[in-house]
PDB file of all heavy atoms in Angstrom:
ATOM      1  N   ALA A   1      32.105 -12.634 -39.578  1.00 98.00           N
ATOM      2  CA  ALA A   1      33.077 -12.100 -40.422  1.00 98.00           C
ATOM      3  C   ALA A   1      33.465 -10.567 -39.859  1.00 98.00           C
ATOM      4  O   ALA A   1      34.487 -10.176 -39.750  1.00 98.00           O
ATOM      5  CB  ALA A   1      32.752 -12.089 -41.770  1.00 98.00           C
ATOM      6  N   GLN A   2      32.328  -9.711 -39.734  1.00 98.00           N
ATOM      7  CA  GLN A   2      32.368  -8.364 -39.258  1.00 98.00           C
ATOM      8  C   GLN A   2      33.070  -8.383 -37.842  1.00 98.00           C
ATOM      9  O   GLN A   2      33.930  -7.492 -37.629  1.00 98.00           O
ATOM     10  CB  GLN A   2      31.151  -7.731 -39.300  1.00 98.00           C
ATOM     11  CG  GLN A   2      31.074  -6.274 -38.924  1.00 98.00           C
ATOM     12  CD  GLN A   2      29.691  -5.614 -38.956  1.00 98.00           C
ATOM     13  OE1 GLN A   2      28.736  -6.325 -38.672  1.00 98.00           O
ATOM     14  NE2 GLN A   2      29.666  -4.340 -39.109  1.00 98.00           N
ATOM     15  N   LEU A   3      32.693  -9.211 -37.003  1.00 98.00           N
ATOM     16  CA  LEU A   3      33.231  -9.410 -35.659  1.00 98.00           C
ATOM     17  C   LEU A   3      34.680  -9.463 -35.631  1.00 98.00           C
ATOM     18  O   LEU A   3      35.580  -8.932 -34.928  1.00 98.00           O
ATOM     19  CB  LEU A   3      32.503 -10.309 -34.782  1.00 98.00           C
ATOM     20  CG  LEU A   3      32.958 -10.526 -33.425  1.00 98.00           C
ATOM     21  CD1 LEU A   3      32.801  -9.243 -32.520  1.00 98.00           C
ATOM     22  CD2 LEU A   3      32.267 -11.699 -32.742  1.00 98.00           C
ATOM     23  N   ALA A   4      35.128 -10.615 -36.480  1.00 98.00           N
ATOM     24  CA  ALA A   4      36.580 -10.968 -36.659  1.00 98.00           C
ATOM     25  C   ALA A   4      37.339  -9.722 -37.014  1.00 98.00           C
ATOM     26  O   ALA A   4      38.402  -9.427 -36.638  1.00 98.00           O
ATOM     27  CB  ALA A   4      36.641 -12.208 -37.514  1.00 98.00           C
ATOM     28  N   SER A   5      36.684  -8.918 -38.056  1.00 98.00           N
ATOM     29  CA  SER A   5      37.487  -7.851 -38.650  1.00 98.00           C
ATOM     30  C   SER A   5      37.577  -6.703 -37.573  1.00 98.00           C
ATOM     31  O   SER A   5      38.665  -6.143 -37.368  1.00 98.00           O
ATOM     32  CB  SER A   5      36.792  -7.287 -39.897  1.00 98.00           C
ATOM     33  OG  SER A   5      37.460  -6.302 -40.453  1.00 98.00           O
ATOM     34  N   VAL A   6      36.559  -6.498 -36.921  1.00 98.00           N
ATOM     35  CA  VAL A   6      36.447  -5.278 -35.988  1.00 98.00           C
ATOM     36  C   VAL A   6      37.357  -5.633 -34.631  1.00 98.00           C
ATOM     37  O   VAL A   6      38.164  -4.757 -34.239  1.00 98.00           O
ATOM     38  CB  VAL A   6      34.966  -5.086 -35.464  1.00 98.00           C
ATOM     39  CG1 VAL A   6      35.009  -4.117 -34.229  1.00 98.00           C
ATOM     40  CG2 VAL A   6      34.099  -4.470 -36.581  1.00 98.00           C
ATOM     41  N   GLN A   7      37.347  -6.914 -34.330  1.00 98.00           N
ATOM     42  CA  GLN A   7      38.303  -7.466 -33.188  1.00 98.00           C
ATOM     43  C   GLN A   7      39.656  -7.547 -33.495  1.00 98.00           C
ATOM     44  O   GLN A   7      40.583  -7.622 -32.603  1.00 98.00           O
ATOM     45  CB  GLN A   7      37.621  -8.664 -32.586  1.00 98.00           C
ATOM     46  CG  GLN A   7      36.205  -8.481 -31.879  1.00 98.00           C
ATOM     47  CD  GLN A   7      36.562  -7.962 -30.431  1.00 98.00           C
ATOM     48  OE1 GLN A   7      37.503  -8.029 -29.954  1.00 98.00           O
ATOM     49  NE2 GLN A   7      35.503  -7.180 -29.994  1.00 98.00           N
ATOM     50  N   GLY A   8      39.978  -7.574 -34.782  1.00 98.00           N
ATOM     51  CA  GLY A   8      41.335  -7.760 -35.331  1.00 98.00           C
ATOM     52  C   GLY A   8      41.915  -9.158 -34.832  1.00 98.00           C
ATOM     53  O   GLY A   8      43.123  -9.125 -34.441  1.00 98.00           O
ATOM     54  N   VAL A   9      41.151 -10.164 -35.016  1.00 98.00           N
ATOM     55  CA  VAL A   9      41.691 -11.429 -34.530  1.00 98.00           C
ATOM     56  C   VAL A   9      42.601 -12.025 -35.531  1.00 98.00           C
ATOM     57  O   VAL A   9      42.594 -11.517 -36.693  1.00 98.00           O
ATOM     58  CB  VAL A   9      40.481 -12.468 -34.400  1.00 98.00           C
ATOM     59  CG1 VAL A   9      39.415 -12.002 -33.416  1.00 98.00           C
ATOM     60  CG2 VAL A   9      39.860 -12.684 -35.725  1.00 98.00           C
ATOM     61  N   HIS A  10      43.523 -12.922 -34.984  1.00 98.00           N
ATOM     62  CA  HIS A  10      44.495 -13.453 -35.915  1.00 98.00           C
ATOM     63  C   HIS A  10      43.901 -14.524 -36.860  1.00 98.00           C
ATOM     64  O   HIS A  10      44.558 -14.775 -38.036  1.00 98.00           O
ATOM     65  CB  HIS A  10      45.682 -14.027 -35.159  1.00 98.00           C
ATOM     66  CG  HIS A  10      46.401 -12.986 -34.451  1.00 98.00           C
ATOM     67  ND1 HIS A  10      46.212 -12.724 -33.087  1.00 98.00           N
ATOM     68  CD2 HIS A  10      47.425 -12.052 -34.974  1.00 98.00           C
ATOM     69  CE1 HIS A  10      47.085 -11.701 -32.780  1.00 98.00           C
ATOM     70  NE2 HIS A  10      47.768 -11.324 -33.879  1.00 98.00           N
ATOM     71  N   MET A  11      42.947 -15.231 -36.422  1.00 98.00           N
ATOM     72  CA  MET A  11      42.238 -16.170 -37.281  1.00 98.00           C
ATOM     73  C   MET A  11      40.871 -16.677 -36.575  1.00 98.00           C
ATOM     74  O   MET A  11      40.678 -16.354 -35.385  1.00 98.00           O
ATOM     75  CB  MET A  11      43.072 -17.471 -37.381  1.00 98.00           C
ATOM     76  CG  MET A  11      43.287 -18.239 -36.053  1.00 98.00           C
ATOM     77  SD  MET A  11      44.474 -19.695 -36.523  1.00 98.00           S
ATOM     78  CE  MET A  11      45.979 -18.760 -36.899  1.00 98.00           C
ATOM     79  N   VAL A  12      40.025 -17.184 -37.406  1.00 98.00           N
ATOM     80  CA  VAL A  12      38.729 -17.697 -36.987  1.00 98.00           C
ATOM     81  C   VAL A  12      38.648 -19.293 -37.102  1.00 98.00           C
ATOM     82  O   VAL A  12      39.193 -19.809 -38.079  1.00 98.00           O
ATOM     83  CB  VAL A  12      37.597 -17.214 -37.907  1.00 98.00           C
ATOM     84  CG1 VAL A  12      36.116 -17.728 -37.454  1.00 98.00           C
ATOM     85  CG2 VAL A  12      37.535 -15.654 -37.928  1.00 98.00           C
ATOM     86  N   LEU A  13      38.399 -19.780 -35.873  1.00 98.00           N
ATOM     87  CA  LEU A  13      38.269 -21.358 -35.884  1.00 98.00           C
ATOM     88  C   LEU A  13      36.744 -21.712 -35.886  1.00 98.00           C
ATOM     89  O   LEU A  13      36.042 -21.237 -35.130  1.00 98.00           O
ATOM     90  CB  LEU A  13      38.954 -21.732 -34.545  1.00 98.00           C
ATOM     91  CG  LEU A  13      40.233 -21.378 -34.143  1.00 98.00           C
ATOM     92  CD1 LEU A  13      40.661 -21.761 -32.793  1.00 98.00           C
ATOM     93  CD2 LEU A  13      41.282 -21.889 -35.183  1.00 98.00           C
ATOM     94  N   VAL A  14      36.595 -22.582 -36.697  1.00 98.00           N
ATOM     95  CA  VAL A  14      35.137 -23.197 -36.940  1.00 98.00           C
ATOM     96  C   VAL A  14      35.083 -24.599 -36.693  1.00 98.00           C
ATOM     97  O   VAL A  14      35.692 -25.403 -37.509  1.00 98.00           O
ATOM     98  CB  VAL A  14      34.631 -22.903 -38.381  1.00 98.00           C
ATOM     99  CG1 VAL A  14      33.041 -23.135 -38.429  1.00 98.00           C
ATOM    100  CG2 VAL A  14      34.895 -21.468 -38.921  1.00 98.00           C
ATOM    101  N   ALA A  15      34.535 -24.897 -35.563  1.00 98.00           N
ATOM    102  CA  ALA A  15      34.599 -26.376 -34.913  1.00 98.00           C
ATOM    103  C   ALA A  15      33.414 -27.264 -35.458  1.00 98.00           C
ATOM    104  O   ALA A  15      32.969 -28.015 -34.587  1.00 98.00           O
ATOM    105  CB  ALA A  15      34.713 -26.335 -33.402  1.00 98.00           C
ATOM    106  N   GLY A  16      33.367 -27.319 -36.756  1.00 96.00           N
ATOM    107  CA  GLY A  16      32.508 -28.396 -37.355  1.00 96.00           C
ATOM    108  C   GLY A  16      31.097 -27.967 -37.470  1.00 96.00           C
ATOM    109  O   GLY A  16      30.564 -27.023 -37.001  1.00 96.00           O
ATOM    110  N   ASP A  17      30.408 -28.888 -38.311  1.00 97.00           N
ATOM    111  CA  ASP A  17      28.849 -28.691 -38.731  1.00 97.00           C
ATOM    112  C   ASP A  17      28.722 -27.247 -39.378  1.00 97.00           C
ATOM    113  O   ASP A  17      27.851 -26.520 -38.876  1.00 97.00           O
ATOM    114  CB  ASP A  17      28.012 -28.830 -37.502  1.00 97.00           C
ATOM    115  CG  ASP A  17      27.824 -30.316 -37.205  1.00 97.00           C
ATOM    116  OD1 ASP A  17      28.246 -31.153 -37.994  1.00 97.00           O
ATOM    117  OD2 ASP A  17      27.155 -30.606 -36.250  1.00 97.00           O
ATOM    118  N   VAL A  18      29.693 -26.948 -40.242  1.00 98.00           N
ATOM    119  CA  VAL A  18      29.497 -25.735 -41.093  1.00 98.00           C
ATOM    120  C   VAL A  18      28.136 -25.803 -41.793  1.00 98.00           C
ATOM    121  O   VAL A  18      27.329 -24.916 -41.834  1.00 98.00           O
ATOM    122  CB  VAL A  18      30.628 -25.375 -42.034  1.00 98.00           C
ATOM    123  CG1 VAL A  18      30.325 -24.346 -42.919  1.00 98.00           C
ATOM    124  CG2 VAL A  18      31.884 -25.236 -41.290  1.00 98.00           C
ATOM    125  N   PHE A  19      27.892 -27.072 -42.388  1.00 98.00           N
ATOM    126  CA  PHE A  19      26.603 -27.223 -43.202  1.00 98.00           C
ATOM    127  C   PHE A  19      25.797 -28.253 -42.426  1.00 98.00           C
ATOM    128  O   PHE A  19      26.296 -29.090 -41.659  1.00 98.00           O
ATOM    129  CB  PHE A  19      26.970 -27.893 -44.538  1.00 98.00           C
ATOM    130  CG  PHE A  19      27.732 -26.877 -45.305  1.00 98.00           C
ATOM    131  CD1 PHE A  19      29.197 -27.065 -45.531  1.00 98.00           C
ATOM    132  CD2 PHE A  19      27.038 -26.044 -46.138  1.00 98.00           C
ATOM    133  CE1 PHE A  19      29.799 -26.098 -46.367  1.00 98.00           C
ATOM    134  CE2 PHE A  19      27.819 -25.042 -47.045  1.00 98.00           C
ATOM    135  CZ  PHE A  19      29.137 -25.174 -47.110  1.00 98.00           C
ATOM    136  N   ASP A  20      24.555 -28.144 -42.579  1.00 97.00           N
ATOM    137  CA  ASP A  20      23.466 -29.089 -41.865  1.00 97.00           C
ATOM    138  C   ASP A  20      23.488 -30.283 -42.419  1.00 97.00           C
ATOM    139  O   ASP A  20      23.120 -31.319 -41.802  1.00 97.00           O
ATOM    140  CB  ASP A  20      22.298 -28.287 -41.888  1.00 97.00           C
ATOM    141  CG  ASP A  20      21.138 -29.110 -40.884  1.00 97.00           C
ATOM    142  OD1 ASP A  20      21.450 -29.233 -39.746  1.00 97.00           O
ATOM    143  OD2 ASP A  20      20.137 -29.510 -41.409  1.00 97.00           O
ATOM    144  N   ALA A  21      23.737 -30.510 -43.826  1.00 97.00           N
ATOM    145  CA  ALA A  21      23.751 -31.732 -44.487  1.00 97.00           C
ATOM    146  C   ALA A  21      24.647 -31.850 -45.621  1.00 97.00           C
ATOM    147  O   ALA A  21      25.035 -30.783 -46.151  1.00 97.00           O
ATOM    148  CB  ALA A  21      22.229 -32.010 -44.864  1.00 97.00           C
ATOM    149  N   GLN A  22      24.983 -33.059 -46.087  1.00 97.00           N
ATOM    150  CA  GLN A  22      25.847 -33.214 -47.268  1.00 97.00           C
ATOM    151  C   GLN A  22      25.191 -32.721 -48.639  1.00 97.00           C
ATOM    152  O   GLN A  22      25.966 -32.161 -49.421  1.00 97.00           O
ATOM    153  CB  GLN A  22      26.229 -34.677 -47.378  1.00 97.00           C
ATOM    154  CG  GLN A  22      26.952 -35.181 -46.124  1.00 97.00           C
ATOM    155  CD  GLN A  22      28.425 -34.826 -46.023  1.00 97.00           C
ATOM    156  OE1 GLN A  22      28.845 -33.914 -46.860  1.00 97.00           O
ATOM    157  NE2 GLN A  22      29.140 -35.425 -45.122  1.00 97.00           N
ATOM    158  N   GLY A  23      23.839 -32.777 -48.587  1.00 96.00           N
ATOM    159  CA  GLY A  23      23.203 -32.588 -49.928  1.00 96.00           C
ATOM    160  C   GLY A  23      22.699 -31.136 -50.141  1.00 96.00           C
ATOM    161  O   GLY A  23      21.706 -31.025 -50.865  1.00 96.00           O
ATOM    162  N   VAL A  24      23.318 -30.172 -49.370  1.00 97.00           N
ATOM    163  CA  VAL A  24      22.737 -28.801 -49.632  1.00 97.00           C
ATOM    164  C   VAL A  24      22.864 -28.380 -51.117  1.00 97.00           C
ATOM    165  O   VAL A  24      23.877 -28.836 -51.747  1.00 97.00           O
ATOM    166  CB  VAL A  24      23.411 -27.693 -48.690  1.00 97.00           C
ATOM    167  CG1 VAL A  24      23.164 -28.181 -47.104  1.00 97.00           C
ATOM    168  CG2 VAL A  24      25.015 -27.734 -48.840  1.00 97.00           C
ATOM    169  N   ALA A  25      22.238 -27.405 -51.515  1.00 97.00           N
ATOM    170  CA  ALA A  25      22.321 -26.911 -52.897  1.00 97.00           C
ATOM    171  C   ALA A  25      23.572 -26.255 -53.198  1.00 97.00           C
ATOM    172  O   ALA A  25      24.180 -25.716 -52.349  1.00 97.00           O
ATOM    173  CB  ALA A  25      21.077 -25.995 -53.202  1.00 97.00           C
ATOM    174  N   GLU A  26      24.005 -26.283 -54.484  1.00 97.00           N
ATOM    175  CA  GLU A  26      25.221 -25.613 -54.850  1.00 97.00           C
ATOM    176  C   GLU A  26      25.119 -24.161 -54.544  1.00 97.00           C
ATOM    177  O   GLU A  26      26.077 -23.370 -54.153  1.00 97.00           O
ATOM    178  CB  GLU A  26      25.471 -25.746 -56.398  1.00 97.00           C
ATOM    179  CG  GLU A  26      25.827 -27.093 -56.718  1.00 97.00           C
ATOM    180  CD  GLU A  26      26.324 -27.235 -58.242  1.00 97.00           C
ATOM    181  OE1 GLU A  26      26.179 -26.204 -58.921  1.00 97.00           O
ATOM    182  OE2 GLU A  26      26.553 -28.311 -58.649  1.00 97.00           O
ATOM    183  N   ARG A  27      23.962 -23.505 -54.726  1.00 98.00           N
ATOM    184  CA  ARG A  27      23.827 -22.157 -54.440  1.00 98.00           C
ATOM    185  C   ARG A  27      24.072 -21.763 -52.907  1.00 98.00           C
ATOM    186  O   ARG A  27      24.689 -20.787 -52.552  1.00 98.00           O
ATOM    187  CB  ARG A  27      22.366 -21.649 -54.647  1.00 98.00           C
ATOM    188  CG  ARG A  27      21.980 -20.318 -54.252  1.00 98.00           C
ATOM    189  CD  ARG A  27      20.543 -19.877 -54.783  1.00 98.00           C
ATOM    190  NE  ARG A  27      20.301 -18.475 -54.489  1.00 98.00           N
ATOM    191  CZ  ARG A  27      19.637 -18.192 -53.231  1.00 98.00           C
ATOM    192  NH1 ARG A  27      19.341 -19.102 -52.401  1.00 98.00           N
ATOM    193  NH2 ARG A  27      19.370 -16.892 -53.092  1.00 98.00           N
ATOM    194  N   THR A  28      23.608 -22.782 -52.073  1.00 98.00           N
ATOM    195  CA  THR A  28      23.948 -22.576 -50.674  1.00 98.00           C
ATOM    196  C   THR A  28      25.372 -22.720 -50.210  1.00 98.00           C
ATOM    197  O   THR A  28      25.808 -21.882 -49.434  1.00 98.00           O
ATOM    198  CB  THR A  28      23.184 -23.787 -49.846  1.00 98.00           C
ATOM    199  OG1 THR A  28      21.825 -23.651 -50.011  1.00 98.00           O
ATOM    200  CG2 THR A  28      23.475 -23.717 -48.357  1.00 98.00           C
ATOM    201  N   ILE A  29      26.216 -23.501 -50.970  1.00 98.00           N
ATOM    202  CA  ILE A  29      27.569 -23.642 -50.805  1.00 98.00           C
ATOM    203  C   ILE A  29      28.320 -22.286 -51.141  1.00 98.00           C
ATOM    204  O   ILE A  29      29.074 -21.670 -50.542  1.00 98.00           O
ATOM    205  CB  ILE A  29      28.177 -24.709 -51.653  1.00 98.00           C
ATOM    206  CG1 ILE A  29      27.601 -26.122 -51.102  1.00 98.00           C
ATOM    207  CG2 ILE A  29      29.766 -24.791 -51.708  1.00 98.00           C
ATOM    208  CD1 ILE A  29      27.932 -27.274 -51.928  1.00 98.00           C
ATOM    209  N   HIS A  30      27.975 -21.726 -52.335  1.00 98.00           N
ATOM    210  CA  HIS A  30      28.512 -20.439 -52.821  1.00 98.00           C
ATOM    211  C   HIS A  30      28.078 -19.344 -51.852  1.00 98.00           C
ATOM    212  O   HIS A  30      28.955 -18.501 -51.504  1.00 98.00           O
ATOM    213  CB  HIS A  30      27.957 -20.234 -54.101  1.00 98.00           C
ATOM    214  CG  HIS A  30      28.674 -20.828 -55.357  1.00 98.00           C
ATOM    215  ND1 HIS A  30      30.036 -20.809 -55.480  1.00 98.00           N
ATOM    216  CD2 HIS A  30      28.163 -21.914 -56.168  1.00 98.00           C
ATOM    217  CE1 HIS A  30      30.371 -21.502 -56.615  1.00 98.00           C
ATOM    218  NE2 HIS A  30      29.315 -22.216 -56.905  1.00 98.00           N
ATOM    219  N   ARG A  31      26.927 -19.391 -51.458  1.00 98.00           N
ATOM    220  CA  ARG A  31      26.417 -18.216 -50.503  1.00 98.00           C
ATOM    221  C   ARG A  31      27.301 -18.204 -49.317  1.00 98.00           C
ATOM    222  O   ARG A  31      27.685 -17.231 -48.792  1.00 98.00           O
ATOM    223  CB  ARG A  31      24.916 -18.376 -50.194  1.00 98.00           C
ATOM    224  CG  ARG A  31      24.087 -18.009 -51.290  1.00 98.00           C
ATOM    225  CD  ARG A  31      22.566 -17.589 -50.765  1.00 98.00           C
ATOM    226  NE  ARG A  31      22.676 -16.555 -49.795  1.00 98.00           N
ATOM    227  CZ  ARG A  31      21.527 -16.329 -49.000  1.00 98.00           C
ATOM    228  NH1 ARG A  31      20.593 -17.173 -49.074  1.00 98.00           N
ATOM    229  NH2 ARG A  31      21.577 -15.353 -48.199  1.00 98.00           N
ATOM    230  N   LEU A  32      27.356 -19.458 -48.652  1.00 98.00           N
ATOM    231  CA  LEU A  32      28.112 -19.624 -47.356  1.00 98.00           C
ATOM    232  C   LEU A  32      29.489 -18.928 -47.521  1.00 98.00           C
ATOM    233  O   LEU A  32      29.867 -18.111 -46.639  1.00 98.00           O
ATOM    234  CB  LEU A  32      28.206 -21.012 -46.960  1.00 98.00           C
ATOM    235  CG  LEU A  32      28.886 -21.333 -45.668  1.00 98.00           C
ATOM    236  CD1 LEU A  32      30.384 -21.544 -45.860  1.00 98.00           C
ATOM    237  CD2 LEU A  32      28.593 -20.265 -44.620  1.00 98.00           C
ATOM    238  N   PHE A  33      30.232 -19.408 -48.471  1.00 98.00           N
ATOM    239  CA  PHE A  33      31.634 -18.931 -48.621  1.00 98.00           C
ATOM    240  C   PHE A  33      31.698 -17.424 -49.027  1.00 98.00           C
ATOM    241  O   PHE A  33      32.603 -16.651 -48.577  1.00 98.00           O
ATOM    242  CB  PHE A  33      32.431 -19.737 -49.595  1.00 98.00           C
ATOM    243  CG  PHE A  33      32.733 -20.997 -49.009  1.00 98.00           C
ATOM    244  CD1 PHE A  33      32.201 -22.255 -49.626  1.00 98.00           C
ATOM    245  CD2 PHE A  33      33.635 -21.152 -48.023  1.00 98.00           C
ATOM    246  CE1 PHE A  33      32.455 -23.454 -49.019  1.00 98.00           C
ATOM    247  CE2 PHE A  33      33.934 -22.450 -47.444  1.00 98.00           C
ATOM    248  CZ  PHE A  33      33.240 -23.639 -47.868  1.00 98.00           C
ATOM    249  N   ASN A  34      30.592 -16.934 -49.637  1.00 98.00           N
ATOM    250  CA  ASN A  34      30.526 -15.472 -49.875  1.00 98.00           C
ATOM    251  C   ASN A  34      30.381 -14.674 -48.646  1.00 98.00           C
ATOM    252  O   ASN A  34      30.804 -13.531 -48.505  1.00 98.00           O
ATOM    253  CB  ASN A  34      29.437 -15.104 -50.914  1.00 98.00           C
ATOM    254  CG  ASN A  34      29.881 -15.426 -52.421  1.00 98.00           C
ATOM    255  OD1 ASN A  34      31.083 -15.234 -52.785  1.00 98.00           O
ATOM    256  ND2 ASN A  34      28.892 -15.690 -53.138  1.00 98.00           N
ATOM    257  N   CYS A  35      29.777 -15.247 -47.777  1.00 98.00           N
ATOM    258  CA  CYS A  35      29.490 -14.551 -46.364  1.00 98.00           C
ATOM    259  C   CYS A  35      30.668 -14.437 -45.634  1.00 98.00           C
ATOM    260  O   CYS A  35      30.823 -13.643 -44.627  1.00 98.00           O
ATOM    261  CB  CYS A  35      28.460 -15.451 -45.527  1.00 98.00           C
ATOM    262  SG  CYS A  35      26.867 -15.467 -46.216  1.00 98.00           S
ATOM    263  N   LEU A  36      31.852 -15.038 -45.981  1.00 98.00           N
ATOM    264  CA  LEU A  36      33.084 -14.818 -45.188  1.00 98.00           C
ATOM    265  C   LEU A  36      33.844 -13.703 -45.749  1.00 98.00           C
ATOM    266  O   LEU A  36      34.920 -13.412 -45.113  1.00 98.00           O
ATOM    267  CB  LEU A  36      33.899 -16.194 -45.290  1.00 98.00           C
ATOM    268  CG  LEU A  36      33.322 -17.443 -45.148  1.00 98.00           C
ATOM    269  CD1 LEU A  36      34.421 -18.578 -45.303  1.00 98.00           C
ATOM    270  CD2 LEU A  36      32.656 -17.569 -43.712  1.00 98.00           C
ATOM    271  N   ARG A  37      33.374 -12.937 -46.699  1.00 97.00           N
ATOM    272  CA  ARG A  37      34.353 -11.826 -47.387  1.00 97.00           C
ATOM    273  C   ARG A  37      34.654 -10.775 -46.296  1.00 97.00           C
ATOM    274  O   ARG A  37      35.509 -10.012 -46.543  1.00 97.00           O
ATOM    275  CB  ARG A  37      33.616 -11.366 -48.627  1.00 97.00           C
ATOM    276  CG  ARG A  37      33.448 -12.292 -49.763  1.00 97.00           C
ATOM    277  CD  ARG A  37      32.924 -11.732 -50.909  1.00 97.00           C
ATOM    278  NE  ARG A  37      31.352 -11.464 -50.667  1.00 97.00           N
ATOM    279  CZ  ARG A  37      30.716 -10.992 -51.503  1.00 97.00           C
ATOM    280  NH1 ARG A  37      30.996 -10.650 -52.706  1.00 97.00           N
ATOM    281  NH2 ARG A  37      29.432 -10.694 -51.305  1.00 97.00           N
ATOM    282  N   GLY A  38      33.796 -10.598 -45.373  1.00 98.00           N
ATOM    283  CA  GLY A  38      34.001  -9.451 -44.398  1.00 98.00           C
ATOM    284  C   GLY A  38      35.251  -9.579 -43.577  1.00 98.00           C
ATOM    285  O   GLY A  38      35.684  -8.595 -42.928  1.00 98.00           O
ATOM    286  N   TYR A  39      35.853 -10.743 -43.625  1.00 98.00           N
ATOM    287  CA  TYR A  39      37.052 -10.949 -42.866  1.00 98.00           C
ATOM    288  C   TYR A  39      38.095 -11.564 -43.738  1.00 98.00           C
ATOM    289  O   TYR A  39      37.902 -12.757 -44.320  1.00 98.00           O
ATOM    290  CB  TYR A  39      36.962 -11.748 -41.611  1.00 98.00           C
ATOM    291  CG  TYR A  39      38.123 -12.162 -40.850  1.00 98.00           C
ATOM    292  CD1 TYR A  39      38.903 -11.209 -40.270  1.00 98.00           C
ATOM    293  CD2 TYR A  39      38.630 -13.477 -40.769  1.00 98.00           C
ATOM    294  CE1 TYR A  39      40.127 -11.608 -39.518  1.00 98.00           C
ATOM    295  CE2 TYR A  39      39.779 -13.888 -40.117  1.00 98.00           C
ATOM    296  CZ  TYR A  39      40.550 -12.849 -39.557  1.00 98.00           C
ATOM    297  OH  TYR A  39      41.678 -13.130 -38.969  1.00 98.00           O
ATOM    298  N   ALA A  40      39.119 -10.992 -44.030  1.00 97.00           N
ATOM    299  CA  ALA A  40      40.203 -11.397 -44.996  1.00 97.00           C
ATOM    300  C   ALA A  40      41.207 -12.211 -44.286  1.00 97.00           C
ATOM    301  O   ALA A  40      42.288 -12.821 -44.975  1.00 97.00           O
ATOM    302  CB  ALA A  40      40.898 -10.130 -45.674  1.00 97.00           C
ATOM    303  N   GLY A  41      41.314 -12.405 -43.056  1.00 98.00           N
ATOM    304  CA  GLY A  41      42.280 -13.263 -42.303  1.00 98.00           C
ATOM    305  C   GLY A  41      42.012 -14.792 -42.518  1.00 98.00           C
ATOM    306  O   GLY A  41      41.024 -15.166 -43.288  1.00 98.00           O
ATOM    307  N   PRO A  42      42.760 -15.643 -41.834  1.00 98.00           N
ATOM    308  CA  PRO A  42      42.535 -17.068 -41.936  1.00 98.00           C
ATOM    309  C   PRO A  42      41.305 -17.561 -41.293  1.00 98.00           C
ATOM    310  O   PRO A  42      41.040 -17.103 -40.139  1.00 98.00           O
ATOM    311  CB  PRO A  42      43.799 -17.686 -41.365  1.00 98.00           C
ATOM    312  CG  PRO A  42      44.785 -16.519 -41.126  1.00 98.00           C
ATOM    313  CD  PRO A  42      43.867 -15.306 -41.125  1.00 98.00           C
TER     314      PRO A  42
END
C-alpha cells in the first residue's frame, strides 16, 4: 500500500490467493483490509 502511494500508481492488481484458506478467522479478514489503508486508489 505504501509502495503504491509513493509510486503514484493508478491502481493495484491482486492476481488471486489473497487468503490462504476459506476458513480464516474474522479478525484476519478485518486485519487484511485494514492493511490496504495506505493506498486510497483502486
Side-chain angles (χ1 to χ4, degrees):
Q2 182 180 26
L3 177 64
S5 182
V6 170
Q7 288 284 334
V9 303
H10 293 102
M11 65 183 63
V12 180
L13 305 175
V14 189
D17 282 359
V18 173
F19 297 97
D20 188 59
Q22 301 284 9
V24 296
E26 290 185 4
R27 176 175 180 270
T28 297
I29 295 172
H30 282 295
R31 283 198 64 196
L32 179 276
F33 288 109
N34 282 330
C35 287
L36 309 183
R37 290 180 299 177
Y39 174 67

